[in-house]
Amino acid sequence: TPPAAPLTKDGFSRLDEGMRGTSPSSEIPIASSTINQPAAAPYRAPVPQPRERIKSVISLEETLGTNWLNKVGVIILVIGVALFLIYELKELGPGGKVFVGYAVGLAMLGPGIFFERRERWRILARAGMGGGWALLYFTTYAMNHVPAARVLESESFDLALLLIVAAAMVAHTLRYNSQVVTGLAFLLAFTTINISHGAVTSLISGAILAVALAVVVGRRRWFQLEVVAILAVFLNHYYWLRPIIEPMGSHHRVFPELTASTALLISYWLIFRFSYIFRRIELPLEENISTVAALLNTFLFHYVINYQSARPELAFWFLLGVGSVEMVLGQLPVTRRRRTAFLILTTIGATLLVAAFGVRYSGERLSVLWLMEAEALFLAGVFTREIHFRRLGMLAQLLVAGQIVFVDSRHLFDLRDLKAIDFSDPRLGLICTIAALILFVNAHWVPRKWPDLIETGFEKTCFRFQSYLAGMVAVVGIWAVCTEPWLAVGWTAFALLLAIVGRELKIEDLSVQGICCALLGFFRVVFTNFAVVEVSHFSLRAVSTISIVIVLLYLCSRWMGFSEAVRGLGLPEAFTWVASFLMALLMWYQLWPTSVALGWALLGLILFQLGWERASTSLRLQAYVLFTASFLRVFFVNFNAEDSSGQLSPRLYTTVPLALLFYYVYWRVDDRQTKFLETDAKIKAANIHCYLGTATLAAVMRFELDPDWIAAAWSALICLFALIAWRYGRRIFLHQGLLLAVAVFFRTVLHNFYERSYFPPPSLWYGRFMTVGTTIVLLFLALLVGFRLKLPLAEGQSVNRGRVSKIFASLNRRPEQSFFFVTFILLTLFLYLEMRAHGMTTVAWGAEAVAIFLFAIAVKERSFRLSAVGLLLVCVAKIVFVDVWGLAPRDRYLTFIILGAALLSVSFLYTRYREVLRGYL
């Protein structure tokens, strides 16, 4: 059917109309070929019928009965005949036993040859032929090697007969091109030889069988048969060795057949090895089976020969020789034509060569030899462009690194742990240095020299891993050479070296290793070097090493971070943070308690200047943190320091410089609105440091001046800030002045008014009249400057603002209001306390009200006038409810006269300046 058109929105609506019974013209057309066409039924697996299941069971039964049972039966029959010839025919002479063996063998071989031509009996016949040839081979072997059947005294003649029988067996069985028949014949031949368990010369027959089998395998490519043959040969030899080796126990002694046994094992190995090399492979499955045979040959050969070893001192030469042969065989042209064979033999040879040195040598000598071997393999892979050599070299280098890190360094670790003394090992350090240099060159110089050498992504990863391996070895070398507390310096210096080289050569892996080494140095200096400083307070070695580490970390930040990944993580800046932290920690331990804050501030100033010159936000942020820490410290330590009589107070010379420093930072950051100060502006660094400076300066006044004059000193500071805000337009000082005005108010009320009412001042100079009077005068001067700082009401300034925001906006716009009311309330309280004793409070308040009213008219401030009027009303209420009942007659009328005059004066002023006052409303 043709493909249906896609259903659009209109199509869906037409379909909906058709379903509701609309006109046929609106229906979706359907292809005529699809009408009355049955739908395709889903696929269902055929269910086996009972008849088919019966046939499957019968087939399985037939396979077992006709194929496998006859093979098992032949094997059992041959073994039984062999045992019969050895143990049961004792009454027959050797000739009779040989005759019986040949007769039974021929009796199995002849019918097998006859019936093999018929299809029905072919499987059984081939099994009989295999058993017959095996029995003939064993009987020929028994003619000399089995005492009960010995008819030949010449072993050489018997071996010649064995060769003839083996050749005839091979030639005959190959005619049928049946791997089963040939394999069964060889298997039974090996089994019958194993049963006899004769002298070592009896194993020569096994070697003959191995040669014959190797020829068959190579000619017919029956590689599965070779696996069985390898198992049979080596297990046969092992079974022969057990009765000799086991009685000796764990202490092997040389036995007479050792040389011959070793020669036979080597011959087995070489036979199957050359069979593996000289063969023709056509299918991947054949190569896989051949690989299994090659590995099995290697493992069984080394296992059995190690089982019979009597002189362990020769193991080095043996492994070296066998490994060299395997390596040479792997490089033959016939081997290199097969990639898998080359890989297998080369790997086996390299492994045996590495193991050879591990058997004879140990410690640092072994590390050097393995390093040489690993580098030889690696360079061979580089110059021959053979990836497998390079991989073997990298694996050997991994072994070398493990030997150095986990074995060679163990004795030094034990010495340091047991003796609690910082021993060093320059020899190990030299070996680590050489190994690290070689690995670094391999990892970075070789890929740059031959960029087309790396073939796969995995190999590229291996080259990178070499670099990290080199870094780990170098770290161990530094640990071996450097003693405490210089180990942290060594690791950090190595981190700087890696950072410099990584930046110059654009190698990111070196930078990453530099970061790791710097972390090692940091943790080492924190947990070791600072521990020494904490115990001894001052140790020249510890302090010097910590200082060197700090300098190295600052230098690392200069060279670290050429790549986007490293810069994106902010690691260069992290180095400066770590170095600054260590420097601040060192100051904490080494400086006097009152000098720590100043030391932190000076360090912050240096970082601030560097951050300013280099436009480094990180350095400036570190400076800000140090400034904040020094500010907090002065309140916990410096202001609690004790004074020394006759000497300058430490509170003064350690905190005043901090205040000046904070103002300097404010001036620098607020003075230039450049681009690199965006972060500083976001965190309001300028304003914060300006407030820190003011808080420090106010705190110094609090702790250094006489308690009675603190409020006056703060008032003077308010005047100064008001002048600065007016002269230079920096309203932040006005805001600080407003905050200080609140502090002045509470300080005056709580100390000068309240506390001095219980504890009189020592002299007139510290009295309330001098101190509070000075405070009020200074606040009044700030009030006069505050008129210059008034701001016009901007359009829409109060729209969409909260109540709190409106209050602060109003205080900022009209600062004179705050200064006035603080001054007005303090003056009112001051007159109340000073005149109360003389009964002149109401008179003084009335005079104050008139003066304020006149001042309000002069400055045109309605709130001031209302305050004066309110104070006059308080005076009236006070006269009515208090003074008239408690004053003496004279004081009473004087109060009335003065208050009346004040009220009339205010009334006159209102009448006189009515039109003017209306303009103020």
Side-chain angles (χ1 to χ4, degrees), residues 252-394:
H252 292 176
R253 296 190 298 271
V254 178
F255 53 95
E257 300 89 350
L258 177 62
T259 303
S261 177
T262 303
L264 280 173
L265 288 172
I266 294 175
S267 67
Y268 300 155
W269 165 63
L270 289 175
I271 289 170
F272 292 114
R273 183 61 78 230
F274 281 105
S275 171
Y276 174 68
I277 295 174
F278 297 99
R279 64 178 51 177
R280 181 168 52 90
I281 300 294
E282 295 181 357
L283 299 174
L285 178 61
E286 296 176 346
E287 188 65 76
N288 294 336
I289 297 173
S290 300
T291 300
V292 173
L295 295 175
L296 190 62
N297 181 29
T298 301
F299 295 149
L300 291 179
F301 168 61
H302 285 278
Y303 176 77
V304 177
I305 206 166
N306 179 68
Y307 177 72
Q308 71 164 22
S309 64
R311 299 179 62 184
E313 66 275 7
L314 298 178
F316 166 73
W317 298 107
F318 171 76
L319 293 174
L320 188 65
V322 175
S324 301
V325 172
E326 296 275 22
M327 183 67 74
V328 172
L329 293 177
Q331 314 315 310
L332 295 176
V334 65
T335 309
R336 295 185 70 90
R337 284 196 292 267
R338 290 166 48 210
R339 180 66 179 175
T340 303
F342 162 73
L343 296 177
I344 293 297
L345 295 182
T346 303
T347 303
I348 293 174
T351 304
L352 292 177
L353 291 176
V354 170
F357 291 108
V359 169
R360 183 164 186 174
Y361 300 98
S362 62
E364 297 166 353
R365 295 178 63 188
L366 178 60
S367 300
V368 173
L369 292 173
W370 275 353
L371 180 62
M372 295 171 61
E373 185 176 358
E375 189 62 17
L377 288 171
F378 181 80
L379 293 179
V382 171
F383 296 130
T384 62
R385 299 300 178 97
E386 176 53 59
I387 187 174
H388 189 59
F389 282 137
R390 297 196 297 272
R391 289 177 176 175
L392 290 175
M394 291 178 183

Side-chain angles (χ1 to χ4, degrees), residues 522-545:
F522 167 74
F523 287 116
R524 193 71 186 182
V525 79
V526 169
F527 293 107
T528 302
N529 299 51
F530 274 109
V532 176
V533 172
E534 185 177 8
V535 172
S536 61
H537 184 69
F538 182 80
S539 173
L540 182 60
R541 292 178 61 194
V543 173
S544 59
T545 53

Side-chain angles (χ1 to χ4, degrees), residues 646-725:
Q647 296 182 4
L648 188 63
S649 171
R651 294 191 295 263
L652 190 62
Y653 63 75
T654 59
T655 54
V656 172
L658 290 180
L660 299 178
L661 180 59
F662 295 149
Y663 286 130
Y664 168 76
V665 173
Y666 160 74
W667 171 72
R668 292 299 302 269
V669 176
D670 190 66
D671 186 58
R672 295 179 56 186
Q673 299 297 328
T674 55
K675 187 176 181 180
F676 68 83
L677 293 177
E678 292 179 355
T679 303
D680 307 64
K682 289 180 180 180
I683 63 174
K684 301 186 181 302
N687 294 344
I688 291 175
H689 284 82
C690 186
Y691 277 97
L692 293 181
T694 300
T696 305
L697 196 58
V700 172
M701 294 178 177
R702 160 64 180 82
F703 287 97
E704 288 300 314
L705 297 178
D706 186 84
D708 295 294
W709 284 96
I710 292 176
W714 287 351
S715 300
L717 201 58
I718 292 173
C719 288
L720 177 62
F721 286 167
L723 291 173
I724 294 175

Side-chain angles (χ1 to χ4, degrees), residues 548-567:
I548 295 173
V549 168
I550 293 171
V551 174
L552 291 173
L553 288 175
Y554 278 124
L555 294 176
C556 283
S557 67
R558 171 65 177 83
W559 293 96
M560 193 69 64
F562 69 91
S563 66
E564 293 294 336
V566 176
R567 285 199 300 269

